[in-house]
Amino acid sequence: NAPENTNKGYLLENMVKYLPTVPVYQADGSLTENFKREKYFNPVGLQTNAFSKLQTKAVVANVTAELKLPFGFKYNLSLAWQNIQRNQGTYYNNYYTTNYGSLLPVGATNGLAYRSSYQNTNTIAENYLTYEKKLGQHSITALIGYSFQEDANGDGFQSNNYNFPSDALGYYGIGLGSNGANFRTDWGNTYYTKLRLISDYARLNYNYAGKYFLQATVRRDGSSAFGTQNQWGYFPSASAGWVVSKE
């Protein structure tokens, strides 16, 4: 990612250690600097000669539906989708790269620009069918369902450039830089990942007269986080209950 000293890091450090008795500007309007001291910079110069902007856009959608069917059946559907986009631009102007170059990647001169664009997308879908039946004091509830979740993060890229003919366009003119032969693009440290979770499940409940209860469930869960030979697992369970106070 772009160096962290646009609004923090070295900026905060120099705000603390910069002598308060030293004027920020000279009489001619130029910044007061003392480059004889290592990494001792005018904090106002650090802030006013670098610019960073982050734009975040989020889109969220949710849909739920319930359908009552004949013979005691009921169908439920739930869908959710979320997309978050982050676009960021950072620019260190010619003054910054000339005088504060020790805070930046080696070789950055005549302005340094970063641009990045990433998005994260989350998708969830769940649907299940329920059956309910009561015969006298016997009550049965059965459910079968399927759920799906997919998280895709870090879909995008970062790029940088330096050696600009002018500071006028800032990071908007990132393509106008002319880097040297030894220049290496900083692609950032954000990596694309995708995780998918899928589940099939069923549950059966039985009770008699509100006193005796039986329940059996089974799940089949899969995750793309595991190897192809170990992506699926089965999880059965059973339980029983007895309300003694109703005897």
Side-chain angles (χ1 to χ4, degrees):
N1 294 330
E4 292 288 337
N5 50 37
T6 306
N7 293 305
K8 52 186 176 180
Y10 283 111
L11 172 59
L12 297 177
E13 178 183 332
N14 279 274
M15 287 174 62
V16 173
K17 68 182 183 181
Y18 199 79
L19 292 175
T21 56
V22 176
V24 175
Y25 294 100
Q26 297 290 318
D28 61 1
S30 62
L31 290 163
T32 301
E33 302 281 9
N34 182 4
F35 298 120
K36 294 180 180 180
R37 296 183 58 179
E38 183 179 1
K39 292 186 179 180
Y40 179 77
F41 304 122
N42 189 323
V44 175
L46 289 172
Q47 187 171 27
T48 57
N49 289 288
F51 173 75
S52 185
K53 183 178 182 181
L54 173 64
Q55 294 178 306
T56 302
K57 180 175 68 174
V59 179
V60 179
N62 292 280
V63 175
T64 59
E66 181 177 279
L67 180 62
K68 292 186 177 180
L69 302 170
F71 311 111
F73 286 97
K74 183 172 63 176
Y75 176 72
N76 289 83
L77 174 67
S78 176
L79 301 174
W81 184 81
Q82 177 180 274
N83 178 265
I84 299 177
Q85 299 178 12
R86 293 183 175 89
N87 298 308
Q88 184 171 14
T90 302
Y91 187 74
Y92 304 89
N93 65 17
N94 180 53
Y95 184 92
Y96 199 111
T97 56
T98 300
N99 297 291
Y100 311 138
S102 60
L103 307 181
L104 301 173
V106 177
T109 57
N110 298 322
L112 173 65
Y114 286 84
R115 295 212 74 173
S116 63
S117 179
Y118 293 100
Q119 69 172 357
N120 299 331
T121 304
N122 309 103
T123 305
I124 298 176
E126 183 164 359
N127 67 121
Y128 53 91
L129 183 67
T130 307
Y131 172 74
E132 293 182 352
K133 186 68 174 181
K134 190 171 184 179
L135 295 171
Q137 298 191 76
H138 300 275
S139 179
I140 296 175
T141 302
L143 179 146
I144 185 171
Y146 169 87
S147 66
F148 171 93
Q149 179 176 341
E150 183 177 271
D151 301 327
N153 298 316
D155 184 6
F157 68 96
Q158 172 185 285
S159 184
N160 67 327
N161 206 352
Y162 69 94
N163 197 20
F164 296 93
S166 170
D167 291 323
L169 294 179
Y171 58 75
Y172 294 106
I174 191 170
L176 300 177
S178 54
N179 50 71
N182 296 323
F183 175 79
R184 183 176 180 180
T185 301
D186 182 357
W187 299 111
N189 54 12
T190 300
Y191 301 97
Y192 176 77
T193 61
K194 178 185 284 188
L195 176 65
R196 181 175 293 173
L197 304 172
I198 297 176
S199 296
D200 305 302
Y201 51 89
R203 183 177 71 228
L204 178 64
N205 291 313
Y206 167 79
N207 87 76
Y208 175 74
K211 295 188 295 183
Y212 309 108
F213 299 87
L214 294 173
Q215 183 183 84
T217 65
V218 62
R219 293 184 64 93
R220 176 177 179 261
D221 295 327
S223 172
S224 63
F226 300 103
T228 55
Q229 302 300 319
N230 299 284
Q231 289 186 336
W232 294 95
Y234 294 84
F235 306 93
S237 67
S239 63
W242 174 29
V243 182
V244 180
S245 61
K246 291 189 177 182
E247 291 294 339

